[in-house]
Amino acid sequence: MDVDAETAILENERRAIERARAGDPRALEPVLARHAEALYSSVILPRVGDRAQAEDLLKDTFVTAIEKIASFSWQGRSMYFWLRRIAANKVVDLHRQRGRSRRMVVALGGEAESAPPPAGVDDTLIAEEDRRRARARIAAAMVALPERYATAIRLRLVEERPREACAEAMGVTVGNFDVILFRAVRSFRKSYGPPSDEAPARGLEDG
Amino acid sequence: MVDDDEPATPEELAAAAALARALDGGASAETAFDSGSQGGVDAQDLAAVGRLRAVAGREAPLGELRARALARAAVGEALGRRARSRRRHLVAASLAVAVAALLALRIIVLRPEPPSVLPDRLASRSAGLLVPGPFPSSQTEAQRLDAITADRLVAYRELRVRAVAGRAR
C-alpha cells in the first residue's frame, strides 16, 4: 500500500473516531471491521483456541471500544494498538475466569501491557509481532514436551497429515497414534498453562 | 499396545478416539459437544488444539463478511445498552419527581389544623356580636364600656345557669 493510500485511510479513521466521540458510534463500524481480521487471527484466536469463543471476544472488544471511545486520544496513528490492548485484556479476563494458572494469566497480562510501538509502525507489523509472540509461547510449551508428543502434535496439527500417515511416520498403529496424540495435547495444556488448584473457578458460564 | 508410557485405560482410548473424530470433523469445542462426541475430550483439549492450529496458520481466517457482521453487531449492542441506561435514568428521575410531588401534596393539602389553645367555651367572643347594631354616634366611651360589661355579665349568668342545669340532670 502506498503512502498516500495509507494517509487517506488514517485520516478517514481519525474522522470516524471524531464522529463517534461526538455521539455517532455507527461511524466506527468500518474502522472496527478493518481491524477485525488482525485482532482475531493474531491476538485472540491463538490465545483462546476456539473460533466461536474468539468471535465472541472480538465482538466484546468492539463493544468496549465503542463505549470507551471518549477515553481514546488520537496520536496520529491507527487505533489498532488500542483495540489490541482491549482484546488482550479480554483474553486475560477469560483465562482468569476459568481459573487458569497465575503464571499464565501474568504472562498474558504482560503481553497485553506491552509498550505501544513508535508512531508510524504499520498495523501489519504489530499483528505479526503478536503472532510471533504467540508462536514463541507455543514453542516454549512444546520444548517442555517429550519428543514423541511434540512429533505427534507437529505431524497431525501443524502439518495436518492424516492419522494413518502420522502413525506410519512414527512407526505405530493408528489407534496407538490416537492415544499418543491425546496424551500429547493433555501434556501441552499443562505445559502452556494448566487450570490452577489455587485460583477459584468463578462461573464457567461458557465452558 | 501403545506408547512407552503406561498402557491406555479404556477412558483414554475413548477420549483418543473422540479427539480423532473431532479433528477429522473440524475441531471446535461447540461441534464436539453438539455431536455428543465428548468421550473424555473437553473444551480445553479442543481449545489447545485450536491454539496450535491457529499459530501454525491452519485456522481459516475470519473473513470480511464476518468481520463486518461482528462490527455491526457490536454497534447495535452498544447502542442498545446506551438506550437501556437512559431509560433507567429517566425512570429513576420520574419516580423521584413523583415521590416529591406526592410529599408536597400531602404537606399542602393535608396540613393539620393548628390545635386550639383554649376550649371553645372559653374562647372570647367578638365585641361586635355583643351589642346588636353599631354603637350610636352619640354614645360616649363610658356608655359603651357599660353596655359591653352588662352584656358580658348577662352571658356569664347564662353560662352558670346552663352549667347548674347540666349537673342537675
Side-chain angles (χ1 to χ4, degrees):
Chain A
M1 190 184 295
D2 62 20
V3 175
D4 287 341
E6 280 185 31
T7 306
I9 289 172
L10 209 58
E11 179 58 22
N12 285 340
E13 191 168 303
R14 187 191 64 76
R15 279 198 227 113
I17 292 169
E18 264 182 32
R19 281 169 52 199
R21 286 162 65 97
D24 180 19
R26 287 191 184 87
L28 279 180
E29 203 176 295
V31 176
L32 299 176
R34 193 166 72 82
H35 293 308
E37 188 67 62
L39 289 168
Y40 174 83
S41 61
S42 306
V43 180
I44 301 175
L45 186 59
R47 291 168 178 81
V48 170
D50 178 70
R51 293 183 65 88
Q53 186 88 73
E55 288 190 9
D56 284 345
L57 284 186
L58 180 63
K59 185 165 77 75
D60 289 346
T61 298
F62 289 164
V63 173
T64 298
I66 293 167
E67 290 178 343
K68 293 191 175 179
I69 194 64
S71 69
F72 174 77
S73 61
W74 182 258
Q75 293 176 348
R77 65 165 168 245
S78 166
M79 72 185 307
Y80 173 76
F81 197 83
W82 184 66
L83 291 170
R84 176 190 169 278
R85 183 171 292 192
I86 296 173
N89 284 333
K90 295 286 181 190
V91 171
V92 171
D93 288 345
L94 178 71
H95 286 297
R96 187 178 287 131
Q97 197 180 28
R98 290 182 171 174
R100 293 304 179 91
S101 71
R102 181 174 165 68
R103 175 174 62 86
M104 180 180 181
V105 170
V106 167
L108 286 172
E111 291 175 19
E113 291 300 316
S114 61
V121 173
D122 199 284
D123 291 347
T124 53
L125 289 178
I126 300 172
E128 182 51 41
E129 173 63 15
D130 283 329
R131 280 191 284 273
R132 188 198 66 75
R133 288 186 189 191
R135 281 195 295 270
R137 270 189 71 75
I138 299 278
M142 291 285 282
V143 161
L145 297 182
E147 179 60 34
R148 283 171 73 81
Y149 289 177
T151 301
I153 285 175
R154 180 174 52 78
L155 290 173
R156 184 77 172 109
L157 301 180
V158 178
E159 295 181 13
E160 286 198 325
R161 295 192 195 183
R163 291 159 67 211
E164 296 75 12
C166 296
E168 187 180 342
M170 293 185 69
V172 298
T173 64
V174 174
N176 193 350
F177 173 77
D178 288 343
V179 174
I180 294 171
L181 181 64
F182 173 72
R183 288 175 174 175
V185 168
R186 282 286 167 100
S187 292
F188 171 79
R189 273 179 59 183
K190 286 181 189 162
S191 182
Y192 186 84
S196 168
D197 291 332
E198 298 158 2
R202 290 178 274 147
L204 302 175
E205 292 91 359
D206 48 1
Chain B
M1 281 288 99
V2 296
D3 202 56
D4 49 6
D5 295 334
E6 296 286 323
T9 62
E11 291 76 22
E12 269 192 311
L13 288 170
L19 179 60
R21 282 195 300 275
L23 289 174
D24 283 339
S28 84
E30 280 186 11
T31 55
F33 287 120
D34 286 347
S35 65
S37 64
Q38 300 111 295
V41 174
D42 61 26
Q44 300 312 317
D45 290 323
L46 296 173
V49 167
R51 251 180 255 125
L52 286 159
R53 289 161 61 105
V55 165
R58 295 300 184 192
E59 285 288 345
L62 182 66
E64 191 176 332
L65 288 178
R66 190 69 186 134
R68 284 191 204 162
L70 287 171
R72 197 174 316 122
V75 169
E77 189 172 320
L79 286 172
R81 284 190 198 181
R82 189 185 289 184
R84 281 193 296 275
S85 175
R86 280 199 190 123
R87 271 198 298 274
R88 273 197 299 272
H89 287 138
L90 190 61
V91 166
S94 301
L95 275 173
V97 168
V99 167
L102 280 172
L103 282 174
L105 193 65
R106 189 180 186 285
I107 289 168
I108 292 169
V109 173
L110 303 179
R111 182 166 37 195
E113 292 291 332
S116 294
V117 178
L118 292 174
D120 287 344
R121 67 183 180 85
L122 296 181
S124 60
R125 296 182 295 173
S126 167
L129 296 175
L130 298 177
V131 178
F135 284 109
S137 57
S138 58
Q139 210 177 32
T140 63
E141 285 176 7
Q143 287 167 331
R144 287 178 188 171
L145 279 170
D146 289 338
I148 292 168
T149 305
D151 185 75
R152 292 285 193 213
L153 285 170
V154 167
Y156 178 71
R157 183 175 175 280
E158 283 172 3
L159 275 173
R160 296 296 299 159
V161 167
R162 263 192 252 136
V164 169
R167 276 201 294 271
R169 281 195 221 107

Coordinates of all heavy atoms in Angstrom, one line a residue, chain A residues 34-111:
Chain A
R34 N -12.3 -3.2 9.7 CA -11.0 -3.2 9.0 C -9.9 -3.9 9.9 O -9.0 -4.6 9.5 CB -10.6 -1.8 8.6 CG -9.4 -1.8 7.7 CD -9.2 -0.4 7.1 NE -8.8 0.6 8.1 CZ -7.5 0.7 8.4 NH1 -6.6 0.0 7.8 NH2 -7.1 1.6 9.3
H35 N -10.1 -3.7 11.2 CA -9.1 -4.2 12.2 C -9.4 -5.6 12.7 O -8.7 -6.2 13.4 CB -8.9 -3.3 13.4 CG -8.3 -2.0 13.0 ND1 -7.1 -1.9 12.3 CD2 -8.7 -0.7 13.2 CE1 -6.8 -0.6 12.1 NE2 -7.7 0.1 12.7
A36 N -10.6 -6.1 12.3 CA -11.1 -7.3 12.9 C -10.2 -8.5 12.6 O -9.9 -9.3 13.5 CB -12.5 -7.6 12.4
E37 N -9.8 -8.7 11.4 CA -9.0 -9.9 11.0 C -7.7 -10.0 11.8 O -7.4 -11.1 12.3 CB -8.7 -9.9 9.5 CG -8.1 -11.1 9.0 CD -9.0 -12.3 9.0 OE1 -10.0 -12.3 8.3 OE2 -8.7 -13.3 9.8
A38 N -7.0 -8.9 11.9 CA -5.7 -8.9 12.6 C -6.0 -9.2 14.1 O -5.2 -10.0 14.7 CB -5.0 -7.6 12.4
L39 N -7.0 -8.6 14.7 CA -7.3 -8.8 16.1 C -7.6 -10.3 16.3 O -7.2 -10.9 17.3 CB -8.4 -7.9 16.6 CG -8.1 -6.4 16.7 CD1 -9.4 -5.7 16.9 CD2 -7.2 -6.2 17.9
Y40 N -8.4 -10.8 15.4 CA -8.9 -12.2 15.6 C -7.8 -13.2 15.4 O -7.6 -14.0 16.2 CB -10.0 -12.4 14.5 CG -10.5 -13.8 14.4 CD1 -11.5 -14.3 15.3 CD2 -10.0 -14.7 13.5 CE1 -12.0 -15.6 15.2 CE2 -10.5 -16.0 13.4 CZ -11.5 -16.5 14.2 OH -12.0 -17.7 14.2
S41 N -7.0 -13.1 14.3 CA -6.1 -14.1 14.0 C -4.7 -14.0 14.7 O -4.0 -14.9 14.9 CB -5.8 -14.2 12.5 OG -5.3 -13.0 12.0
S42 N -4.4 -12.7 15.1 CA -3.1 -12.5 15.8 C -3.2 -12.4 17.3 O -2.2 -12.8 18.0 CB -2.5 -11.2 15.3 OG -2.4 -11.2 13.9
V43 N -4.3 -11.9 17.8 CA -4.3 -11.6 19.2 C -5.2 -12.6 19.9 O -4.8 -13.2 21.0 CB -4.9 -10.2 19.5 CG1 -5.0 -9.9 21.0 CG2 -4.0 -9.1 18.7
I44 N -6.4 -12.9 19.4 CA -7.4 -13.6 20.2 C -7.3 -15.1 19.9 O -7.2 -15.9 20.9 CB -8.8 -13.1 19.9 CG1 -8.9 -11.6 20.2 CG2 -9.9 -13.8 20.7 CD1 -10.2 -10.9 19.9
L45 N -7.5 -15.5 18.7 CA -7.6 -17.0 18.4 C -6.4 -17.8 18.9 O -6.5 -18.8 19.4 CB -7.9 -17.2 16.9 CG -8.1 -18.6 16.5 CD1 -9.3 -19.2 17.2 CD2 -8.3 -18.8 15.0
P46 N -5.2 -17.3 18.6 CA -4.0 -18.0 19.1 C -4.0 -18.2 20.6 O -3.3 -19.1 21.1 CB -2.8 -17.2 18.6 CG -3.3 -16.4 17.6 CD -4.7 -16.1 17.9
R47 N -4.7 -17.4 21.4 CA -4.6 -17.4 22.8 C -5.9 -18.1 23.4 O -5.9 -18.4 24.6 CB -4.4 -16.0 23.4 CG -3.0 -15.5 23.1 CD -2.9 -14.0 23.4 NE -1.6 -13.5 23.2 CZ -1.1 -13.2 22.0 NH1 -1.9 -13.3 21.0 NH2 0.2 -12.8 21.9
V48 N -6.9 -18.3 22.6 CA -8.1 -18.9 23.0 C -8.3 -20.2 22.5 O -8.7 -21.2 23.2 CB -9.3 -17.9 22.7 CG1 -10.6 -18.6 22.9 CG2 -9.2 -16.6 23.5
G49 N -8.1 -20.4 21.2 CA -8.1 -21.7 20.5 C -9.4 -22.1 19.9 O -9.5 -23.0 19.1
D50 N -10.5 -21.5 20.4 CA -11.8 -21.9 19.9 C -12.4 -20.7 19.1 O -12.5 -19.6 19.5 CB -12.7 -22.1 21.1 CG -14.1 -22.5 20.7 OD1 -14.3 -23.6 20.1 OD2 -15.0 -21.7 20.9
R51 N -12.9 -21.0 17.8 CA -13.3 -20.0 16.9 C -14.5 -19.2 17.4 O -14.5 -18.0 17.4 CB -13.6 -20.6 15.6 CG -12.4 -21.2 14.8 CD -12.9 -21.7 13.4 NE -13.4 -20.6 12.6 CZ -12.6 -19.9 11.8 NH1 -11.3 -20.1 11.7 NH2 -13.1 -18.9 11.0
A52 N -15.5 -20.0 17.9 CA -16.7 -19.3 18.4 C -16.4 -18.4 19.6 O -16.9 -17.2 19.7 CB -17.7 -20.3 18.8
Q53 N -15.6 -18.9 20.5 CA -15.2 -18.1 21.6 C -14.4 -16.9 21.2 O -14.6 -15.7 21.7 CB -14.3 -18.9 22.6 CG -13.9 -18.2 23.9 CD -14.9 -18.5 24.9 OE1 -15.0 -19.6 25.5 NE2 -15.7 -17.5 25.3
A54 N -13.5 -17.0 20.2 CA -12.7 -15.9 19.7 C -13.6 -14.9 19.1 O -13.4 -13.7 19.2 CB -11.7 -16.4 18.7
E55 N -14.6 -15.3 18.3 CA -15.5 -14.3 17.7 C -16.3 -13.5 18.8 O -16.5 -12.3 18.7 CB -16.5 -15.0 16.8 CG -15.8 -15.5 15.5 CD -16.8 -16.0 14.5 OE1 -18.0 -15.7 14.7 OE2 -16.4 -16.5 13.4
D56 N -16.7 -14.2 19.9 CA -17.4 -13.6 21.0 C -16.5 -12.5 21.6 O -17.0 -11.4 21.9 CB -17.8 -14.6 22.0 CG -19.1 -15.4 21.6 OD1 -19.7 -15.0 20.6 OD2 -19.3 -16.4 22.2
L57 N -15.3 -12.9 21.8 CA -14.3 -12.0 22.5 C -14.1 -10.8 21.6 O -13.9 -9.6 22.0 CB -13.0 -12.6 22.8 CG -13.0 -13.5 24.0 CD1 -11.6 -14.0 24.4 CD2 -13.6 -12.8 25.3
L58 N -14.0 -11.0 20.3 CA -13.8 -9.9 19.3 C -15.0 -8.9 19.4 O -14.8 -7.7 19.4 CB -13.7 -10.5 17.9 CG -13.4 -9.5 16.8 CD1 -12.1 -8.7 17.0 CD2 -13.4 -10.1 15.4
K59 N -16.2 -9.5 19.4 CA -17.4 -8.6 19.5 C -17.3 -7.8 20.8 O -17.6 -6.6 20.8 CB -18.6 -9.4 19.4 CG -19.9 -8.5 19.3 CD -21.1 -9.3 18.8 CE -21.7 -10.2 19.9 NZ -22.4 -9.5 20.9
D60 N -17.0 -8.5 21.9 CA -16.9 -7.8 23.2 C -15.9 -6.7 23.1 O -16.1 -5.6 23.7 CB -16.6 -8.8 24.3 CG -17.7 -9.7 24.6 OD1 -18.8 -9.5 24.2 OD2 -17.4 -10.8 25.3
T61 N -14.8 -7.0 22.5 CA -13.7 -6.0 22.3 C -14.3 -4.7 21.6 O -14.1 -3.6 22.0 CB -12.6 -6.5 21.5 OG1 -12.0 -7.6 22.2 CG2 -11.5 -5.5 21.2
F62 N -15.1 -4.9 20.6 CA -15.6 -3.8 19.8 C -16.6 -3.0 20.7 O -16.7 -1.8 20.7 CB -16.3 -4.3 18.6 CG -15.4 -4.8 17.5 CD1 -15.9 -5.6 16.4 CD2 -14.1 -4.5 17.5 CE1 -15.0 -6.1 15.4 CE2 -13.2 -4.9 16.5 CZ -13.7 -5.7 15.5
V63 N -17.5 -3.8 21.4 CA -18.5 -3.1 22.3 C -17.7 -2.2 23.3 O -18.1 -1.1 23.5 CB -19.4 -4.1 23.0 CG1 -20.3 -3.4 24.0 CG2 -20.2 -4.9 22.0
T64 N -16.7 -2.8 23.9 CA -15.9 -2.0 24.9 C -15.3 -0.7 24.3 O -15.3 0.4 24.8 CB -14.9 -2.8 25.6 OG1 -15.5 -3.9 26.2 CG2 -14.0 -2.1 26.6
A65 N -14.8 -0.9 23.1 CA -14.1 0.2 22.4 C -15.1 1.3 22.1 O -14.8 2.5 22.3 CB -13.5 -0.3 21.1
I66 N -16.3 0.9 21.7 CA -17.4 1.9 21.4 C -17.8 2.6 22.7 O -17.9 3.9 22.7 CB -18.6 1.2 20.7 CG1 -18.2 0.7 19.4 CG2 -19.8 2.2 20.6 CD1 -19.3 -0.3 18.8
E67 N -17.9 1.9 23.7 CA -18.4 2.5 25.0 C -17.3 3.4 25.6 O -17.6 4.4 26.3 CB -18.8 1.4 26.0 CG -20.1 0.7 25.6 CD -20.4 -0.4 26.6 OE1 -19.6 -0.8 27.3 OE2 -21.6 -0.8 26.5
K68 N -16.0 3.1 25.3 CA -14.9 3.9 25.9 C -14.2 4.8 24.9 O -13.1 5.3 25.2 CB -13.9 2.9 26.5 CG -14.4 2.2 27.7 CD -13.3 1.4 28.4 CE -13.9 0.8 29.7 NZ -12.9 0.0 30.4
I69 N -14.9 5.1 23.8 CA -14.2 5.9 22.7 C -13.9 7.2 23.3 O -12.9 7.9 22.8 CB -15.1 5.9 21.5 CG1 -14.3 6.4 20.3 CG2 -16.3 6.8 21.7 CD1 -13.2 5.5 19.9
A70 N -14.6 7.7 24.2 CA -14.3 9.1 24.8 C -12.9 9.1 25.4 O -12.3 10.2 25.5 CB -15.4 9.5 25.8
S71 N -12.4 7.9 25.9 CA -11.1 7.9 26.5 C -10.0 7.7 25.6 O -8.8 7.8 26.0 CB -11.1 6.8 27.6 OG -11.1 5.5 26.9
F72 N -10.3 7.6 24.3 CA -9.2 7.3 23.3 C -8.8 8.7 22.8 O -9.6 9.5 22.4 CB -9.7 6.5 22.1 CG -8.8 6.4 21.0 CD1 -7.7 5.5 21.1 CD2 -8.9 7.1 19.8 CE1 -6.8 5.4 20.1 CE2 -8.0 7.0 18.8 CZ -6.9 6.1 18.9
S73 N -7.4 8.9 22.8 CA -6.9 10.2 22.3 C -6.1 9.9 21.0 O -5.2 9.0 21.0 CB -6.1 10.9 23.3 OG -5.0 10.1 23.7
W74 N -6.4 10.6 20.0 CA -5.8 10.4 18.7 C -4.3 10.9 18.8 O -4.1 12.0 19.2 CB -6.5 11.2 17.6 CG -6.0 11.0 16.3 CD1 -5.2 11.9 15.6 CD2 -6.1 9.9 15.4 NE1 -4.8 11.4 14.4 CE2 -5.4 10.2 14.2 CE3 -6.7 8.7 15.5 CZ2 -5.3 9.3 13.2 CZ3 -6.7 7.8 14.5 CH2 -6.0 8.1 13.3
Q75 N -3.4 10.0 18.4 CA -2.0 10.4 18.4 C -1.3 10.2 17.1 O -0.1 9.9 17.0 CB -1.3 9.5 19.5 CG -1.8 9.8 20.9 CD -1.2 8.9 21.9 OE1 -0.6 7.9 21.6 NE2 -1.4 9.2 23.2
G76 N -2.1 10.4 16.1 CA -1.5 10.3 14.7 C -1.2 8.9 14.2 O -0.6 8.8 13.1
R77 N -1.7 7.9 14.9 CA -1.6 6.5 14.4 C -2.9 5.8 14.6 O -3.7 6.2 15.3 CB -0.4 5.8 15.0 CG -0.6 5.5 16.5 CD 0.4 4.5 16.9 NE 0.4 4.5 18.4 CZ 1.4 4.8 19.2 NH1 2.5 5.2 18.6 NH2 1.3 4.8 20.5
S78 N -3.0 4.7 13.9 CA -4.2 3.9 13.9 C -4.6 3.5 15.3 O -3.8 3.3 16.2 CB -4.0 2.6 13.1 OG -5.1 1.7 13.3
M79 N -5.9 3.3 15.5 CA -6.4 2.9 16.8 C -6.2 1.4 17.0 O -6.7 0.8 18.0 CB -7.9 3.2 17.0 CG -8.8 2.4 16.2 SD -10.6 2.9 16.3 CE -10.9 3.0 18.0
Y80 N -5.6 0.7 16.1 CA -5.4 -0.7 16.2 C -4.8 -1.1 17.5 O -5.2 -2.1 18.2 CB -4.6 -1.3 15.0 CG -4.3 -2.8 15.2 CD1 -5.2 -3.7 15.0 CD2 -3.0 -3.2 15.6 CE1 -5.0 -5.1 15.2 CE2 -2.7 -4.5 15.8 CZ -3.7 -5.5 15.6 OH -3.4 -6.8 15.8
F81 N -3.7 -0.4 17.9 CA -3.0 -0.8 19.1 C -3.9 -0.7 20.3 O -3.8 -1.5 21.2 CB -1.7 0.0 19.3 CG -0.8 -0.7 20.3 CD1 0.1 -1.7 19.8 CD2 -0.8 -0.3 21.6 CE1 0.9 -2.3 20.8 CE2 0.1 -0.9 22.5 CZ 0.9 -1.9 22.1
W82 N -4.7 0.3 20.4 CA -5.6 0.5 21.5 C -6.7 -0.7 21.5 O -6.9 -1.2 22.5 CB -6.4 1.8 21.3 CG -7.3 2.2 22.4 CD1 -6.9 2.5 23.7 CD2 -8.7 2.4 22.3 NE1 -8.1 2.8 24.4 CE2 -9.2 2.8 23.6 CE3 -9.6 2.2 21.3 CZ2 -10.5 3.0 23.8 CZ3 -10.9 2.5 21.5 CH2 -11.4 2.9 22.8
L83 N -7.2 -1.0 20.3 CA -8.1 -2.2 20.2 C -7.4 -3.5 20.6 O -8.0 -4.3 21.3 CB -8.6 -2.3 18.8 CG -9.5 -1.2 18.2 CD1 -9.7 -1.4 16.7 CD2 -10.8 -1.3 19.0
R84 N -6.1 -3.6 20.2 CA -5.4 -4.8 20.6 C -5.3 -4.9 22.1 O -5.4 -6.0 22.6 CB -4.0 -4.7 19.9 CG -3.1 -5.8 20.3 CD -1.7 -5.4 19.8 NE -0.7 -6.4 20.3 CZ -0.1 -6.3 21.5 NH1 -0.5 -5.4 22.3 NH2 0.8 -7.2 21.9
R85 N -5.0 -3.8 22.8 CA -4.9 -3.9 24.2 C -6.2 -4.3 24.9 O -6.2 -5.1 25.8 CB -4.4 -2.6 24.8 CG -4.2 -2.6 26.3 CD -3.6 -1.3 26.8 NE -2.2 -1.2 26.3 CZ -1.4 -0.3 26.7 NH1 -1.7 0.6 27.6 NH2 -0.2 -0.2 26.2
I86 N -7.3 -3.8 24.4 CA -8.6 -4.2 24.9 C -8.8 -5.7 24.7 O -9.3 -6.4 25.6 CB -9.8 -3.4 24.2 CG1 -9.6 -1.9 24.6 CG2 -11.1 -3.9 24.7 CD1 -10.6 -1.0 23.8
A87 N -8.5 -6.1 23.4 CA -8.7 -7.6 23.1 C -7.9 -8.5 24.0 O -8.3 -9.5 24.5 CB -8.4 -7.8 21.6
A88 N -6.6 -8.1 24.2 CA -5.7 -8.9 25.1 C -6.2 -8.9 26.5 O -6.2 -10.0 27.1 CB -4.3 -8.3 25.0
N89 N -6.8 -7.8 27.0 CA -7.3 -7.8 28.3 C -8.6 -8.7 28.4 O -8.8 -9.4 29.4 CB -7.7 -6.4 28.8 CG -6.5 -5.6 29.1 OD1 -5.5 -6.2 29.6 ND2 -6.5 -4.3 29.0
K90 N -9.3 -8.8 27.3 CA -10.5 -9.7 27.3 C -10.0 -11.1 27.4 O -10.6 -11.9 28.1 CB -11.3 -9.5 26.0 CG -11.9 -8.2 25.8 CD -13.1 -8.0 26.7 CE -13.8 -6.6 26.5 NZ -14.8 -6.3 27.5
V91 N -8.9 -11.5 26.7 CA -8.4 -12.8 26.8 C -7.9 -13.1 28.2 O -8.2 -14.2 28.7 CB -7.2 -13.0 25.8 CG1 -6.5 -14.3 26.0 CG2 -7.8 -12.9 24.3
V92 N -7.2 -12.2 28.8 CA -6.7 -12.4 30.2 C -7.9 -12.6 31.1 O -7.9 -13.5 32.0 CB -5.9 -11.2 30.6 CG1 -5.6 -11.3 32.1 CG2 -4.6 -11.1 29.8
D93 N -9.0 -11.8 31.0 CA -10.1 -12.0 31.8 C -10.8 -13.3 31.7 O -11.2 -13.9 32.6 CB -11.2 -10.9 31.5 CG -10.8 -9.5 32.0 OD1 -9.8 -9.4 32.8 OD2 -11.4 -8.5 31.5
L94 N -10.8 -13.8 30.4 CA -11.4 -15.1 30.2 C -10.6 -16.2 30.9 O -11.2 -17.1 31.5 CB -11.4 -15.4 28.7 CG -12.0 -16.8 28.3 CD1 -13.5 -16.8 28.5 CD2 -11.7 -17.1 26.8
H95 N -9.3 -16.2 30.7 CA -8.5 -17.2 31.4 C -8.5 -17.1 32.9 O -8.5 -18.1 33.6 CB -7.1 -17.1 30.9 CG -6.9 -17.6 29.5 ND1 -7.1 -18.9 29.1 CD2 -6.5 -17.0 28.3 CE1 -6.9 -19.1 27.8 NE2 -6.5 -17.9 27.3
R96 N -8.6 -15.9 33.4 CA -8.7 -15.7 34.8 C -10.0 -16.3 35.3 O -10.1 -16.9 36.4 CB -8.6 -14.2 35.2 CG -8.5 -13.9 36.7 CD -8.4 -12.5 37.0 NE -7.0 -12.0 36.6 CZ -6.8 -10.9 35.9 NH1 -7.8 -10.2 35.4 NH2 -5.6 -10.5 35.7
Q97 N -11.1 -16.0 34.6 CA -12.4 -16.5 34.9 C -12.4 -18.0 34.9 O -13.2 -18.6 35.7 CB -13.4 -16.0 33.9 CG -14.8 -16.1 34.2 CD -15.7 -15.6 33.1 OE1 -15.3 -15.6 31.9 NE2 -16.8 -15.0 33.4
R98 N -11.6 -18.6 34.1 CA -11.6 -20.1 34.0 C -10.6 -20.7 35.0 O -10.3 -21.9 35.0 CB -11.3 -20.6 32.6 CG -12.4 -20.3 31.7 CD -12.1 -20.8 30.3 NE -13.2 -20.7 29.4 CZ -13.2 -20.9 28.1 NH1 -12.1 -21.3 27.6 NH2 -14.3 -20.8 27.4
G99 N -10.0 -19.9 35.9 CA -9.2 -20.4 36.9 C -7.8 -20.9 36.4 O -7.2 -21.8 36.9
R100 N -7.4 -20.2 35.3 CA -6.1 -20.6 34.8 C -5.0 -20.2 35.8 O -5.1 -19.4 36.6 CB -5.8 -19.9 33.4 CG -6.8 -20.4 32.4 CD -6.7 -21.9 32.2 NE -7.6 -22.4 31.2 CZ -7.2 -22.6 29.9 NH1 -6.0 -22.3 29.5 NH2 -8.1 -23.0 29.0
S101 N -3.8 -20.8 35.6 CA -2.7 -20.6 36.5 C -2.3 -19.2 36.5 O -2.4 -18.5 35.5 CB -1.5 -21.5 36.1 OG -0.9 -21.0 34.9
R102 N -1.8 -18.7 37.7 CA -1.4 -17.4 37.8 C -0.3 -17.1 36.8 O -0.2 -16.0 36.3 CB -1.0 -17.1 39.2 CG -0.5 -15.7 39.5 CD -0.2 -15.5 41.0 NE 0.5 -14.3 41.2 CZ 0.1 -13.1 41.0 NH1 -1.1 -12.9 40.5 NH2 0.9 -12.0 41.2
R103 N 0.6 -18.1 36.6 CA 1.7 -17.9 35.7 C 1.2 -17.5 34.3 O 1.7 -16.6 33.6 CB 2.5 -19.2 35.6 CG 3.7 -19.2 34.7 CD 4.5 -20.4 34.8 NE 3.8 -21.7 34.5 CZ 3.6 -22.2 33.3 NH1 4.1 -21.6 32.3 NH2 2.9 -23.3 33.2
M104 N 0.2 -18.2 33.9 CA -0.3 -18.0 32.5 C -1.0 -16.6 32.4 O -0.8 -15.9 31.5 CB -1.3 -19.1 32.1 CG -1.9 -18.9 30.8 SD -3.0 -20.3 30.4 CE -3.5 -19.9 28.8
V105 N -1.8 -16.3 33.5 CA -2.5 -15.0 33.5 C -1.5 -13.9 33.5 O -1.7 -12.9 32.8 CB -3.5 -15.0 34.7 CG1 -4.0 -13.6 34.8 CG2 -4.6 -16.0 34.5
V106 N -0.5 -14.0 34.3 CA 0.5 -13.0 34.4 C 1.2 -12.8 33.0 O 1.5 -11.7 32.5 CB 1.6 -13.2 35.5 CG1 2.8 -12.4 35.4 CG2 0.9 -13.1 36.8
A107 N 1.6 -13.9 32.4 CA 2.2 -13.9 31.1 C 1.4 -13.2 30.0 O 1.8 -12.3 29.3 CB 2.6 -15.3 30.6
L108 N 0.1 -13.6 30.0 CA -0.8 -13.0 29.0 C -1.0 -11.5 29.3 O -1.1 -10.7 28.4 CB -2.2 -13.7 29.0 CG -2.2 -15.0 28.4 CD1 -3.5 -15.7 28.6 CD2 -1.9 -14.9 26.9
G109 N -1.1 -11.2 30.6 CA -1.2 -9.8 31.0 C 0.0 -9.0 30.6 O -0.2 -7.8 30.2
G110 N 1.2 -9.6 30.7 CA 2.4 -8.9 30.2 C 2.3 -8.6 28.8 O 2.7 -7.5 28.3
E111 N 1.8 -9.5 28.0 CA 1.7 -9.3 26.6 C 0.7 -8.2 26.3 O 0.9 -7.4 25.4 CB 1.2 -10.6 25.9 CG 2.3 -11.7 25.9 CD 1.7 -13.0 25.3 OE1 0.7 -12.9 24.6 OE2 2.3 -14.0 25.6

